[in-house]
Amino acid sequence: MKKVLIGVAVVLAVALVSFFTVVPMVVDMRMNTVVSTQIPAVSPAGSALHRRIFIADLHADELLWGRDLLTRVERGHVDLPRLQEGKVALQVFSVVTKTPRDMNYDKNTGETDNIALLSLAQRWPAATRTSLRARAVYQAEKLQDAVLRAGGAITLITTRDTLMAFARRRRGDPMQVGALLAIEGLHALDGQLESVDVLFNNGFRMMGLTHFFDNEVAGSAHGVTHGGLTPLGRQVVQRMEQLGIAVDLAHSSAQTMQEVLAMATRPVVVSHTGVAAVCPGPRNLTDAQLRAIAANGGLVGIGYWDGAVCQPTIENIVKAIRHAVQVMGVRHVALGSDFDGATKTPWDTRGVIVVTDALLRSGMSEDDVAKIMGANTFDYLMRTLPPITPPDSVVRP
C-alpha cells in the first residue's frame, strides 16, 4: 500500500508540475501559429522603403501568454527581438481578461471563462481569480516590468509628449520599440465606472468596449442580443473621451458601433478587423461602417488572420487594405495584425516587411504605403492621446 501511495503522489506531482509548466506552453504553441516560419523574399525597393518608414501595429495579445517579452522564442508571433528584426516602431499590446468556451463569431454568452484556467496555470496573482480588472492590471504590470528591464529599448506610450519624444529618439536608434496598452472588452471594468480611471492610471490608452460576448457596457457582434450601449456604456464612452482613451469598436455589434459614432466627439478606432466586401462575416466591417468611421475621423486596422481575410495570405491582406482605402481614403487605414490572439497568420511580426513590399508592388505610392504601415497610426495617436497625464483626473487604485 505504501508503494501505491508513493506512486500516486509521484503521478500527482508530475501532473501538477506539467499543469504549471508544460500545459501553458503547449496551449500557446497550438493557438498562435504561422503558415510559414520563412519570411518571403522582398524587392530591393520594398526593403529600402521598409527601413525608412515608421511601422505600427494596432493589436497584439502577447501579454496573455506566459512568455518574457524580452526573450526571443520559437512560438507565437511577438517578442522584442522579433519586433526589432521586423523594424516595428510601435506595437499596441492588448490585454484579454475573459473568453467563453467554444468561442465563435456568431453567438456566445459570458457564462464560461477560458482565461480563469489559463491564468491559474500561469500562476497569476490570487486577485485575478475573482476580478477581471485585476487580470487587466496584472497584464499591464507585465508590460511595465518588461519596459523597466529592457534598458531603454521599450518606451511605454501614454501621452503625445512621450510619443513625440520616442519618435525623436528612434530616429537615432531604430532598435527602439514603442508600446501602448489596450484592452479587449470592458467586462474588465467589473461593472464599475470608476474602473475606467483605475485602468487609465495603469497606462491603458485604448479600450475595446466588447470582445466575444455582451457585457455591462455594450453588445458584442458575437453576443446574444446584438444590442447597443447600456446606460453605463454611455457613461464609459464619455469618461474615456474625457481622459484621452481611444474607443475601440473591434468586436462591437452594429448597434453599438452606430450608437458610439452618433455620440462620439473624438475619433474612434477599430484596432483589428477585416472588410465584409472582401471576406464576409459578422467579424468584418461593411462599406457603410467604413464610411461612417472615416466621417468620424477614425482609423481601421486590417488584420492578417482567417477571420479577417478568409485565408491568411499576403494577397488577401492587400486586397482588404486596398478595398478599405478605396472606400475610406488612405488616411483612415492601418495595420491590426491580431498577433498572438489565438490566430494563425502568414508569418510572425518579422514578416511585416512583406506587407510593405506587397502594397508597393500593387501600385501604391511610397507615401500611401508609409501612411498605411504606420504614419496613420502615429497621426491618430497624436490626435487622441492626452498631451500630458492630468494629475487630478484619475482615481488611484
Side-chain angles (χ1 to χ4, degrees):
M1 178 62 71
K2 184 176 180 180
K3 289 183 179 179
V4 171
L5 291 175
I6 291 173
V8 170
V10 169
V11 169
L12 289 175
V14 170
L16 191 62
V17 170
S18 297
F19 177 74
F20 288 116
T21 56
V22 177
V23 170
M25 187 184 305
V26 170
V27 172
D28 185 3
M29 291 176 64
R30 289 181 176 177
M31 299 191 75
N32 300 302
T33 60
V34 295
V35 174
S36 175
T37 58
Q38 300 299 313
I39 308 303
V42 300
S43 69
S47 180
L49 177 61
H50 192 78
R51 289 195 300 271
R52 294 198 306 271
I53 61 180
F54 187 95
I55 308 296
D57 177 41
L58 284 167
H59 194 89
D61 293 322
E62 192 276 344
L63 298 173
L64 178 61
W65 309 100
R67 311 183 213 137
D68 183 348
L69 180 60
L70 306 188
T71 303
R72 181 189 294 270
V73 294
E74 299 304 319
R75 65 184 187 274
H77 302 135
V78 172
D79 52 50
L80 177 61
R82 286 184 284 179
L83 288 167
Q84 292 171 326
E85 186 176 336
K87 303 295 187 292
V88 178
L90 176 66
Q91 180 64 63
V92 176
F93 289 93
S94 188
V95 308
V96 177
T97 60
K98 182 177 177 179
T99 60
R101 191 176 299 125
D102 301 321
M103 188 168 61
N104 62 82
Y105 285 137
D106 297 313
K107 186 177 181 180
N108 304 273
T109 70
E111 295 171 356
T112 55
D113 184 358
N114 289 328
I115 307 304
L117 188 60
L118 182 64
S119 65
L120 179 63
Q122 294 183 157
R123 290 171 286 180
W124 290 12
T128 64
R129 306 287 180 266
T130 56
S131 169
L132 301 185
R133 189 178 79 182
R135 294 180 188 178
V137 170
Y138 171 69
Q139 291 175 74
E141 290 171 347
K142 284 181 62 179
L143 179 59
Q144 291 155 4
D145 174 68
V147 170
L148 290 174
R149 292 186 293 110
I154 308 176
T155 298
L156 183 62
I157 306 299
T158 56
T159 66
R160 296 176 212 170
D161 288 347
T162 55
L163 179 58
M164 283 295 297
F166 163 73
R168 284 194 295 268
R169 289 195 304 273
R170 193 176 187 279
R171 292 189 192 105
D173 181 6
M175 297 299 282
Q176 291 197 25
V177 174
L180 187 137
L181 268 169
I183 194 165
E184 285 206 274
L186 289 185
H187 39 275
L189 298 181
D190 286 342
Q192 301 173 16
L193 178 62
E194 56 266 32
S195 292
V196 176
D197 294 68
V198 172
L199 293 177
F200 178 86
N201 191 51
N202 279 274
F204 288 91
R205 295 297 182 267
M206 184 180 296
M207 294 185 184
L209 301 183
T210 64
H211 199 196
F212 272 90
F213 55 91
D214 305 327
N215 59 37
E216 301 96 331
V217 170
S220 166
H222 326 294
V224 175
T225 69
H226 300 284
L229 290 169
T230 66
L232 174 62
R234 292 184 177 277
Q235 291 179 294
V236 165
V237 170
Q238 290 171 347
R239 187 57 180 154
M240 288 170 64
E241 290 197 328
Q242 290 168 357
L243 291 172
I245 301 171
V247 178
D248 184 1
L249 295 177
H251 294 285
S252 289
S253 70
Q255 185 67 27
T256 294
M257 196 171 298
Q258 181 179 339
E259 291 179 5
V260 170
L261 288 170
M263 70 177 291
T265 62
R266 293 163 52 84
V268 302
V269 65
V270 182
S271 62
H272 57 303
T273 188
V275 292
V278 171
C279 179
R283 179 68 181 79
N284 297 335
L285 301 179
T286 66
D287 285 2
Q289 289 171 328
L290 292 172
R291 293 189 188 98
I293 292 164
N296 161 267
L299 187 66
V300 168
I302 299 299
Y304 305 164
W305 79 104
D306 57 356
V309 294
C310 286
Q311 292 293 327
T313 65
I314 186 59
E315 293 80 12
N316 285 0
I317 294 167
V318 169
K319 189 184 299 184
I321 289 173
R322 289 183 65 89
H323 181 83
V325 168
Q326 181 181 6
V327 174
M328 304 182 76
V330 71
R331 291 187 178 275
H332 301 284
V333 184
L335 305 179
S337 65
D338 202 14
F339 281 146
D340 287 323
T343 53
K344 183 175 186 178
T345 57
W347 6 251
D348 61 22
T349 192
R350 297 172 302 140
V352 69
I353 190 173
V354 180
V355 183
T356 300
D357 186 58
L359 291 175
L360 195 61
R361 288 175 182 266
S362 76
M364 284 190 174
S365 68
E366 289 192 353
D367 186 55
D368 283 353
V369 173
K371 289 184 175 71
I372 294 163
M373 296 302 297
N376 287 342
T377 295
F378 182 91
D379 292 345
Y380 174 82
L381 293 174
M382 286 299 296
R383 286 185 290 137
T384 57
L385 284 169
I388 59 173
T389 303
D392 299 322
S393 68
V394 295
V395 176
R396 301 297 173 187

